[in-house]
Amino acid sequence: MADVPGPLSAFIVGEIRRARGSAGMTQESFGRAAGFSASHVSAVEGATRALTIDFIKGADRALSNGGLFERLATKFGTPSWFLPWLDAERGATQLRYFEPNLIPGLLQVEHYARTVLRTVESLTDDEVEQRVEARMSRQAILTGERRPQFVAVLDEAAIRRTGDGLGGIMAQQVAHLVAMAELPHVHVHVIPIGSGLHIGLSGPFALARSSEGVWVGHLENQLGGDVIDKDDEVATLQARWESVRNEALPRRQSIDLLKEVESHHGPQ
């Protein structure tokens, strides 16, 4: 589970393994009840295969524990509504993100992520730190061996945001965007403020293409988010992607604009 910090993921796997043993279940019998093969169970327990929300839900079913492990993952890792998307994100060969107001989580630096998460008043300080750690861990997909092609379209307003205490954070954040945008598999495109109104201003969205060639989308709102997998709805998101991508500057011009904005924000 890429969204859950390593120690938490290892803790949940360890607790599942102990609960399986206490129930007198072999990996094979546990797998049958959870909906996974014995080899899959062995790989998860041996940390050679990622822990996913589907596996956690299967473990809860097999152990009849009322959803204990899913609650643990949600409480100390990431909201449950986001977990299915993270499974799609982690296995994607192509990722497309559009953000009109913020920097996408996969491109955020730690200080920026912490500042954004602190705007959620219901989160405690510990929960903010847990989610920052989770977000930083999630970014490993962009530097691992199976790196997806990653394309992000941002509105210029997102990179020019200012305010008390934001100057140094935004300078660091935009410098990171420049560094990431120079990588061959990462493309960052900026929609200039002068472009005026466009369809993307209605909200952020993302698209992920699996190794089987299947696209799924993700929509966020103030209360949560949804994975979009119906063909007609995915097609609508793909059409909107083409629209916002066409509003954005080419890759090199976008990097030049990022560098100009970086100098505007000044030193940390």
Side-chain angles (χ1 to χ4, degrees):
M1 180 175 290
D3 60 297
V4 177
L8 177 58
S9 181
F11 171 77
I12 292 176
V13 170
E15 290 303 305
I16 290 174
R17 183 172 57 248
R18 278 186 282 275
R20 173 180 67 75
S22 297
M25 303 176 77
T26 64
Q27 289 180 337
E28 184 175 0
S29 61
F30 173 83
R32 280 198 303 270
F36 293 90
S37 66
S39 61
H40 189 121
V41 174
S42 176
V44 171
E45 292 188 354
T48 60
R49 186 161 190 161
L51 177 67
T52 67
I53 188 61
D54 285 342
F55 189 92
I56 289 174
K57 289 180 176 179
D60 284 335
R61 287 193 305 271
L63 297 165
S64 301
N65 62 12
L68 172 63
F69 295 122
E70 184 178 1
R71 290 199 302 276
L72 279 173
T74 300
K75 174 65 177 176
F76 298 108
T78 296
S80 59
W81 56 263
F82 200 38
L83 295 176
W85 168 251
L86 291 175
D87 285 343
E89 182 184 75
R90 184 176 56 249
T93 58
Q94 296 180 43
L95 288 169
R96 297 172 176 174
Y97 274 81
F98 169 70
E99 276 284 358
N101 301 308
L102 297 170
I103 309 301
L106 289 178
L107 296 176
Q108 291 179 7
V109 295
E110 184 175 333
H111 292 317
Y112 180 92
R114 183 175 292 108
T115 301
V116 169
L117 288 167
R118 280 177 176 164
T119 65
V120 183
E121 296 179 355
S122 61
L123 294 178
T124 66
D125 289 345
D126 285 345
E127 288 170 336
V128 166
E129 291 306 312
Q130 289 159 1
R131 294 195 182 186
V132 169
E133 186 178 354
R135 190 164 296 181
M136 296 301 102
S137 173
R138 176 179 155 218
Q139 294 176 0
I141 65 173
L142 294 182
T143 56
E145 293 183 2
R146 295 181 61 254
R147 297 174 295 182
Q149 181 201 56
F150 180 88
V151 185
V153 174
L154 317 175
D155 199 275
E156 186 177 348
I159 60 175
R160 288 195 182 275
R161 193 169 299 279
T162 59
D164 292 342
L166 268 181
I169 293 173
M170 288 306 300
Q172 182 187 35
Q173 177 61 73
V174 177
H176 180 68
L177 283 177
V178 172
M180 294 299 294
E182 297 281 7
L183 298 175
H185 64 290
V186 176
H187 299 243
V188 176
H189 300 273
V190 180
I191 299 178
I193 291 176
S195 293
L197 297 177
H198 55 83
I199 189 64
L201 293 176
S202 59
F205 62 89
L207 288 158
R209 183 181 188 272
S210 72
S211 57
E212 291 80 27
V214 177
W215 286 94
V216 297
H218 186 261
L219 293 175
E220 282 191 40
N221 56 57
Q222 290 285 336
L223 299 178
D226 296 291
V227 170
I228 307 300
D229 55 9
K230 294 182 180 179
D231 290 347
D232 57 339
E233 293 177 345
V234 171
T236 297
L237 284 185
Q238 288 176 323
R240 294 197 173 194
W241 169 262
E242 292 301 323
S243 179
V244 297
R245 176 64 188 84
N246 288 335
E247 291 285 344
L249 296 171
R251 186 182 190 188
R252 181 47 56 187
Q253 291 181 32
S254 294
I255 292 175
D256 290 341
L257 177 57
L258 287 170
K259 290 180 177 178
E260 185 272 318
V261 172
E262 180 187 2
S263 65
H264 172 76
H265 282 302
Q268 301 179 41

